Amino acid sequence: MINHAIKKLIAYGLSCRLVEAEDVVFIRNRLLELLHLDAYEEPAEEYADGELESILAEFIDYARQKGMIDTLYHGDPDLFDTRIMGLLVPRPSAVIAEFWRRYRQDPAAATDYFYKLACDSDYIRRYRIKKDRRWQVDTEYGALDITINLSKPEKDPKAIAAALAAPPSGYPACALCRETEGYAGGPRAAARQNHRLIPLDLDGEPYFLQYSPYVYYNEHCIVLNEKHIPMKISGAVFDRLLDFVDRFPHYFIGSNADLPIVGGSILSHDHFQGGRYEFAMERAPVEREISFEGYADVYAGIVRWPMSVIRLRGREKGRLSALAGRILDRWRGYSDPDAFIFAYTGDTPHNTITPIARRRGEEYELDLVLRNNITTDEHPMGVYHPHAELHHIKKENIGLIEVMGLAVLPARLKTSLGAVAEGLFLGADLVNNPQTAPHAPWVESIARRFAPYVGKDRERIDAILREEVGRVFVRVLEDAGVFKRTPEGYAAFDRFLRGVS
């Protein structure tokens, strides 16, 4: 009975403080209106601590029976249940006021409140996120994080590039626009009635703080520009990243690069990503200290990482930003044919940077990851991109999250790697099975590791596969590195560094 679902949902709202006792009748009547009902009979049962997924499933079953999902919500139950949850979330002004009230006590208390709200309101669908496959693999670069994403569809690099080139259209112009707050959604846009934003000023520019609905790591946040303008790495970006970690010292923040192939999935809207998580890159040590004339007060070094990373650290934000700007300016126009680095093909730029900022006690730290998106006939998706032999595991862009050491792998791998493990256990033919055929050459190259466990230990086969996926991810990052970790690569890196002035 729908009355039971209504009572359960209100009890859920009360338990997580989305709803106060004074709101109960008001919220109940709003739910009746949404369901096209004009009467309610209070169930005798008492409900507490109900699971939100099952509660919303009762609403969805009722709406399907009444034909509402197909006729009013384009056949998408997410549009329906998000509208329901939107009734329980405080208005933006109330959320903003509470955030800054808590911030005055402690920045972490403010983000704790805001993150809990994003979860309790079902903006972050925890019951879906927990279905993602996650594990760590020990490598020569430390413990890398691997996740098989089961809550977000893949994006092809060509589609990402096309989105960047397309003129803004529609309302909202993209999934990151601040106009998504409270938006009902539709066939091409997600519903966001339960979505809230916190306005921020970063180095004099208006931005908004929100959380990612996909939370690839703890408190995965997004900081988006008030305006729908393209990504652009510049000296101003370094200032804004450092301003953010000044305001939220318990969070890191970084930016995807601003060019196709080496950028993120949305290049058409200026934004950053951050959160409360320590990635392997942050733990990676400096393997060689370097210095820059005029910046004796800034510690600098090359990070021991499969990609090409310059680390800067110091007490003065302005000094870090100024030096980072000089490195960026040098890299934008830098070519070294001997290392197959070309700044331009005609008028098309290739060089950019993926920057990451964090606090180290009283000091600020910037990691600058050098990127290049040149393509060739041999590598049409990018020379410094996962090469074709790795596409069975990862062919998507290597964005900020991967750069820092977390592989976001596509949902297709859940099924195909499961089929590989089962085939190995049974000694089956992997080449002629469509699910396993793309992985067959890779599995053959590591077959000796599985041989002792065929027909004996399926769990050990699964564990070895996870380890080997981690090793593939290392190769993915190495492919994305512009200066290879070879004597020739180190010499080429030095040639670049000598020109920073």
Side-chain angles (χ1 to χ4, degrees), residues 233-242 290 292-295 297-300 310-314 316-332 352-357 364-370 496-497 500-501:
I233 300 298
S234 66
V237 165
F238 305 139
D239 291 331
R240 291 165 191 163
L241 297 180
L242 292 167
I290 55 178
F292 297 95
E293 184 177 352
Y295 289 89
D297 57 326
V298 176
Y299 172 85
I310 301 170
R311 178 166 292 167
L312 308 178
R313 188 186 308 138
E316 297 294 330
K317 291 186 298 181
R319 297 286 289 164
L320 260 68
S321 181
L323 179 52
R326 288 171 62 172
I327 293 170
L328 174 64
D329 289 344
R330 163 75 167 160
W331 181 242
R332 286 287 195 191
T352 184
I353 280 178
T354 299
I356 303 104
Y364 301 89
E365 188 169 88
L366 269 178
D367 282 349
L368 306 176
V369 188
L370 305 181
F496 165 71
L497 293 170
V500 176
S501 60

Side-chain angles (χ1 to χ4, degrees), residues 333-411:
Y334 184 74
S335 292
D336 183 347
D338 290 341
F340 204 81
I341 295 171
F342 298 92
Y344 290 90
T345 300
D347 294 328
T348 302
H350 296 305
N351 290 348
T352 184
I353 280 178
T354 299
I356 303 104
R358 63 183 73 92
R359 292 290 295 272
R360 296 275 196 184
E362 295 300 313
E363 293 187 309
Y364 301 89
E365 188 169 88
L366 269 178
D367 282 349
L368 306 176
V369 188
L370 305 181
R371 313 297 304 276
N372 179 289
N373 76 343
I374 195 168
T375 61
T376 64
D377 290 341
E378 183 183 2
H379 301 294
M381 296 183 72
V383 172
Y384 304 104
H385 179 82
H387 291 172
E389 67 270 17
L390 306 180
H391 288 180
H392 66 105
I393 297 293
K394 179 71 174 177
K395 66 178 179 180
E396 300 76 25
N397 286 4
I398 305 305
L400 170 69
I401 296 172
E402 286 87 1
V403 162
M404 294 186 293
L406 192 162
V408 181
L409 302 179

Side-chain angles (χ1 to χ4, degrees), residues 21-67:
E22 297 85 352
D23 302 324
V24 168
V25 172
F26 176 81
I27 296 296
R28 180 195 300 145
N29 286 334
R30 296 297 307 278
L31 289 168
L32 291 174
E33 177 187 3
L34 186 151
L35 296 167
H36 302 168
L37 298 172
D38 55 12
Y40 173 81
E41 184 175 337
E42 180 80 3
E45 294 86 350
E46 294 297 328
Y47 298 108
D49 301 324
E51 291 188 358
L52 184 58
E53 182 180 17
S54 61
I55 295 170
L56 292 176
E58 293 184 44
F59 280 92
I60 291 168
D61 288 345
Y62 175 85
R64 286 193 192 280
Q65 293 170 14
K66 300 296 182 181

Side-chain angles (χ1 to χ4, degrees), residues 203-231:
D203 196 46
E205 289 294 319
Y207 281 78
F208 290 89
L209 171 68
Q210 67 170 64
Y211 286 102
S212 167
Y214 306 111
V215 275
Y216 292 137
Y217 51 85
N218 187 46
E219 296 182 41
H220 178 182
C221 70
I222 299 173
V223 178
L224 56 102
N225 198 305
E226 179 183 56
K227 301 174 184 175
H228 181 74
I229 57 176
M231 302 278 291

